Amino acid sequence: MALFLTEQDVTALLTMPDALVCVEEAFREQGRAAAQNLPRRRLRPPKGVLHLMAGALPTLGVMGYKAYSTTRSGAKFHVMLYSTDTGELLAACRRGLHFVVAAPITISKPQDAVKKTGSPTGC
């Protein structure tokens, strides 16, 4: 069952210092060639830009992407996290860089996030 998280749910799960530990671990995995990172790509239609980034941490069983659009009215963010084993959607969230940083480490087992936040929905 996928979690649909708000930015507040993610903030309740993880502090910024904890998120930085997660980022460091992800970079260590990438240094060992155990993680994959797709650099940002951009599509540029006439009135906006679509930004796409993706990555995978197979040692944690997760892969996902962040997509966001930017127009004159601002930016809109969406993050999707999937199981590398089954391809199942584990979590989705609107907004939130904090989520992108933290999700692979903290939500590799979505049921744990539900226990911590009490909120399996919200996006």
Side-chain angles (χ1 to χ4, degrees):
M1 176 179 148
L3 294 175
F4 295 92
L5 301 168
T6 65
E7 193 167 12
Q8 292 79 19
D9 290 332
V10 176
T11 301
L13 286 168
L14 189 68
T15 66
M16 189 53 75
D18 290 337
L20 293 174
V21 169
C22 298
V23 170
E24 290 171 356
E25 178 60 24
F27 278 122
R28 274 192 289 280
E29 291 296 299
Q30 189 172 3
R32 290 190 281 262
Q36 297 176 23
N37 177 36
L38 181 65
R40 183 187 336 258
R41 302 290 308 252
R42 291 184 174 95
L43 301 173
R44 298 179 189 275
K47 294 186 177 184
V49 180
L50 179 63
H51 312 259
L52 303 162
M53 295 165 279
L57 283 168
T59 55
L60 295 177
V62 294
M63 59 186 169
Y65 68 89
K66 174 183 177 180
Y68 65 99
S69 62
T70 52
T71 64
R72 288 181 184 219
S73 65
K76 309 274 191 292
F77 295 85
H78 294 90
V79 177
M80 306 296 270
L81 187 69
Y82 299 89
S83 166
T84 56
D85 296 327
T86 66
E88 180 180 355
L89 178 65
L90 299 174
C93 186
R94 212 172 34 200
R95 298 189 39 98
L97 176 62
H98 196 165
F99 179 79
V100 178
V101 168
I105 308 296
T106 60
I107 309 177
S108 57
K109 295 184 178 161
Q111 63 276 14
D112 294 343
V114 173
K115 289 176 190 171
K116 289 181 183 178
T117 65
S119 175
T121 62
C123 272

